[in-house]
Tab-separated table of all heavy atoms in Angstrom:
chain	number	residue	atom	x	y	z
A	254	ASP	N	64.766	20.292	-76.502
A	254	ASP	CA	66.064	20.313	-77.154
A	254	ASP	C	67.168	20.294	-76.109
A	254	ASP	O	66.995	20.778	-74.990
A	254	ASP	CB	66.210	21.567	-78.013
A	254	ASP	CG	65.187	21.601	-79.141
A	254	ASP	OD1	64.707	20.515	-79.521
A	254	ASP	OD2	64.862	22.717	-79.622
A	255	GLU	N	68.352	19.745	-76.498
A	255	GLU	CA	69.504	19.773	-75.607
A	255	GLU	C	70.281	21.064	-75.816
A	255	GLU	O	70.398	21.569	-76.933
A	255	GLU	CB	70.423	18.572	-75.856
A	255	GLU	CG	69.938	17.288	-75.206
A	255	GLU	CD	70.985	16.181	-75.264
A	255	GLU	OE1	71.701	16.138	-76.267
A	255	GLU	OE2	71.068	15.407	-74.293
A	256	ALA	N	70.821	21.620	-74.696
A	256	ALA	CA	71.617	22.846	-74.775
A	256	ALA	C	72.847	22.676	-73.913
A	256	ALA	O	72.797	22.090	-72.818
A	256	ALA	CB	70.799	24.045	-74.294
A	257	GLU	N	74.011	23.183	-74.418
A	257	GLU	CA	75.276	23.038	-73.702
A	257	GLU	C	75.516	24.273	-72.832
A	257	GLU	O	75.359	25.416	-73.283
A	257	GLU	CB	76.427	22.880	-74.677
A	257	GLU	CG	77.772	22.669	-73.976
A	257	GLU	CD	78.923	22.519	-74.954
A	257	GLU	OE1	78.679	22.704	-76.181
A	257	GLU	OE2	80.048	22.241	-74.501
A	258	LEU	N	75.951	23.980	-71.582
A	258	LEU	CA	76.332	25.052	-70.664
A	258	LEU	C	77.837	24.995	-70.470
A	258	LEU	O	78.367	23.961	-70.060
A	258	LEU	CB	75.613	24.889	-69.312
A	258	LEU	CG	76.011	25.890	-68.229
A	258	LEU	CD1	75.607	27.319	-68.614
A	258	LEU	CD2	75.408	25.504	-66.874
A	259	LYS	N	78.532	26.123	-70.787
A	259	LYS	CA	79.974	26.195	-70.615
A	259	LYS	C	80.294	27.067	-69.410
A	259	LYS	O	79.695	28.125	-69.227
A	259	LYS	CB	80.633	26.794	-71.852
A	259	LYS	CG	80.480	25.943	-73.112
A	259	LYS	CD	81.172	26.605	-74.288
A	259	LYS	CE	81.030	25.760	-75.556
A	259	LYS	NZ	81.698	26.404	-76.707
A	260	VAL	N	81.267	26.597	-68.589
A	260	VAL	CA	81.734	27.370	-67.432
A	260	VAL	C	83.051	28.004	-67.812
A	260	VAL	O	84.026	27.303	-68.142
A	260	VAL	CB	81.877	26.479	-66.186
A	260	VAL	CG1	82.364	27.307	-65.003
A	260	VAL	CG2	80.554	25.787	-65.870
A	261	LEU	N	83.144	29.378	-67.778
A	261	LEU	CA	84.329	30.123	-68.206
A	261	LEU	C	85.118	30.581	-66.997
A	261	LEU	O	84.547	30.880	-65.936
A	261	LEU	CB	83.910	31.353	-69.031
A	261	LEU	CG	82.997	31.071	-70.242
A	261	LEU	CD1	82.610	32.397	-70.895
A	261	LEU	CD2	83.694	30.162	-71.237
A	262	PRO	N	86.496	30.644	-67.173
A	262	PRO	CA	87.300	31.203	-66.080
A	262	PRO	C	87.126	32.722	-66.034
A	262	PRO	O	86.611	33.356	-66.947
A	262	PRO	CB	88.727	30.810	-66.472
A	262	PRO	CG	88.671	30.717	-67.962
A	262	PRO	CD	87.297	30.205	-68.312
A	263	ASP	N	87.630	33.336	-64.925
A	263	ASP	CA	87.547	34.790	-64.775
A	263	ASP	C	88.363	35.471	-65.851
A	263	ASP	O	89.456	35.026	-66.221
A	263	ASP	CB	88.056	35.224	-63.396
A	263	ASP	CG	87.127	34.742	-62.294
A	263	ASP	OD1	85.980	34.367	-62.637
A	263	ASP	OD2	87.516	34.767	-61.118
A	264	LEU	N	87.858	36.620	-66.349
A	264	LEU	CA	88.570	37.428	-67.340
A	264	LEU	C	88.999	38.745	-66.722
A	264	LEU	O	88.432	39.217	-65.720
A	264	LEU	CB	87.651	37.694	-68.548
A	264	LEU	CG	87.244	36.471	-69.386
A	264	LEU	CD1	86.319	36.915	-70.506
A	264	LEU	CD2	88.461	35.771	-69.933
A	265	GLU	N	90.017	39.340	-67.338
A	265	GLU	CA	90.447	40.651	-66.864
A	265	GLU	C	89.389	41.711	-67.199
A	265	GLU	O	89.187	42.664	-66.462
A	265	GLU	CB	91.793	41.023	-67.500
A	265	GLU	CG	92.923	40.098	-67.090
A	265	GLU	CD	94.232	40.507	-67.728
A	265	GLU	OE1	94.210	41.504	-68.493
A	265	GLU	OE2	95.239	39.851	-67.436
A	266	GLU	N	88.737	41.569	-68.316
A	266	GLU	CA	87.714	42.527	-68.709
A	266	GLU	C	86.427	42.216	-67.949
A	266	GLU	O	85.905	41.094	-68.004
A	266	GLU	CB	87.467	42.447	-70.210
A	266	GLU	CG	86.435	43.449	-70.709
A	266	GLU	CD	86.218	43.334	-72.203
A	266	GLU	OE1	87.009	42.632	-72.869
A	266	GLU	OE2	85.260	43.943	-72.684
A	267	THR	N	85.924	43.219	-67.243
A	267	THR	CA	84.752	43.022	-66.382
A	267	THR	C	83.469	43.196	-67.184
A	267	THR	O	83.253	44.256	-67.788
A	267	THR	CB	84.770	44.031	-65.227
A	267	THR	OG1	85.979	43.895	-64.505
A	267	THR	CG2	83.583	43.784	-64.301
A	268	PRO	N	82.630	42.140	-67.234
A	268	PRO	CA	81.354	42.289	-67.951
A	268	PRO	C	80.368	43.124	-67.146
A	268	PRO	O	80.472	43.255	-65.920
A	268	PRO	CB	80.882	40.846	-68.097
A	268	PRO	CG	81.470	40.132	-66.924
A	268	PRO	CD	82.795	40.810	-66.653
A	269	ASN	N	79.385	43.707	-67.843
A	269	ASN	CA	78.363	44.517	-67.175
A	269	ASN	C	77.438	43.639	-66.330
A	269	ASN	O	77.254	42.445	-66.605
A	269	ASN	CB	77.532	45.284	-68.203
A	269	ASN	CG	78.350	46.337	-68.918
A	269	ASN	OD1	79.296	46.883	-68.346
A	269	ASN	ND2	77.981	46.630	-70.159
A	270	LEU	N	76.849	44.301	-65.331
A	270	LEU	CA	75.888	43.622	-64.453
A	270	LEU	C	74.531	43.582	-65.152
A	270	LEU	O	73.977	44.617	-65.515
A	270	LEU	CB	75.779	44.368	-63.117
A	270	LEU	CG	74.913	43.728	-62.034
A	270	LEU	CD1	75.435	42.353	-61.649
A	270	LEU	CD2	74.866	44.630	-60.795
A	271	VAL	N	73.988	42.361	-65.383
A	271	VAL	CA	72.716	42.218	-66.088
A	271	VAL	C	71.844	41.201	-65.351
A	271	VAL	O	72.338	40.363	-64.591
A	271	VAL	CB	72.917	41.753	-67.547
A	271	VAL	CG1	73.637	42.817	-68.356
A	271	VAL	CG2	73.685	40.432	-67.581
A	272	PHE	N	70.511	41.316	-65.600
A	272	PHE	CA	69.564	40.343	-65.071
A	272	PHE	C	69.417	39.194	-66.066
A	272	PHE	O	69.170	39.406	-67.253
A	272	PHE	CB	68.183	40.981	-64.849
A	272	PHE	CG	68.082	41.761	-63.569
A	272	PHE	CD1	67.877	43.134	-63.588
A	272	PHE	CD2	68.194	41.117	-62.340
A	272	PHE	CE1	67.772	43.843	-62.414
A	272	PHE	CE2	68.085	41.828	-61.161
A	272	PHE	CZ	67.885	43.197	-61.190
A	273	LEU	N	69.577	37.968	-65.548
A	273	LEU	CA	69.272	36.803	-66.349
A	273	LEU	C	67.787	36.421	-66.232
A	273	LEU	O	67.221	35.864	-67.171
A	273	LEU	CB	70.143	35.623	-65.905
A	273	LEU	CG	71.667	35.830	-66.002
A	273	LEU	CD1	72.392	34.583	-65.486
A	273	LEU	CD2	72.081	36.134	-67.440
A	274	LYS	N	67.199	36.704	-65.086
A	274	LYS	CA	65.778	36.413	-64.866
A	274	LYS	C	65.209	37.497	-63.939
A	274	LYS	O	65.716	37.715	-62.838
A	274	LYS	CB	65.595	35.030	-64.213
A	274	LYS	CG	64.157	34.540	-64.154
A	274	LYS	CD	63.653	34.124	-65.515
A	274	LYS	CE	62.272	33.511	-65.415
A	274	LYS	NZ	61.712	33.164	-66.746
A	275	GLN	N	64.175	38.211	-64.388
A	275	GLN	CA	63.572	39.265	-63.590
A	275	GLN	C	62.237	38.802	-63.029
A	275	GLN	O	61.555	37.954	-63.616
A	275	GLN	CB	63.362	40.525	-64.430
A	275	GLN	CG	64.646	41.163	-64.942
A	275	GLN	CD	64.381	42.532	-65.551
A	275	GLN	OE1	63.536	43.269	-65.083
A	275	GLN	NE2	65.122	42.861	-66.604
A	276	PRO	N	61.828	39.355	-61.879
A	276	PRO	CA	60.517	38.976	-61.300
A	276	PRO	C	59.376	39.519	-62.161
A	276	PRO	O	59.517	40.548	-62.828
A	276	PRO	CB	60.538	39.620	-59.915
A	276	PRO	CG	61.484	40.769	-60.048
A	276	PRO	CD	62.542	40.340	-61.035
A	277	SER	N	58.279	38.784	-62.172
A	277	SER	CA	57.072	39.221	-62.880
A	277	SER	C	55.907	39.223	-61.892
A	277	SER	O	55.928	38.523	-60.875
A	277	SER	CB	56.770	38.288	-64.058
A	277	SER	OG	56.641	36.943	-63.604
A	278	SER	N	54.908	40.029	-62.185
A	278	SER	CA	53.767	40.185	-61.279
A	278	SER	C	53.021	38.866	-61.136
A	278	SER	O	52.865	38.102	-62.101
A	278	SER	CB	52.819	41.271	-61.791
A	278	SER	OG	53.472	42.534	-61.793
A	279	LEU	N	52.560	38.614	-59.906
A	279	LEU	CA	51.895	37.351	-59.581
A	279	LEU	C	50.572	37.627	-58.882
A	279	LEU	O	50.395	38.666	-58.237
A	279	LEU	CB	52.769	36.498	-58.651
A	279	LEU	CG	54.070	35.918	-59.227
A	279	LEU	CD1	54.813	35.189	-58.119
A	279	LEU	CD2	53.764	34.962	-60.368
Side-chain angles (χ1 to χ4, degrees):
D254 297 336
E255 280 190 325
E257 182 180 6
L258 176 65
K259 296 180 180 180
V260 180
L261 306 177
D263 292 344
L264 295 179
E265 296 180 359
E266 182 180 349
T267 303
N269 293 330
L270 185 60
V271 294
F272 279 115
L273 301 178
K274 190 73 174 177
Q275 296 190 36
S277 57
S278 296
L279 292 177

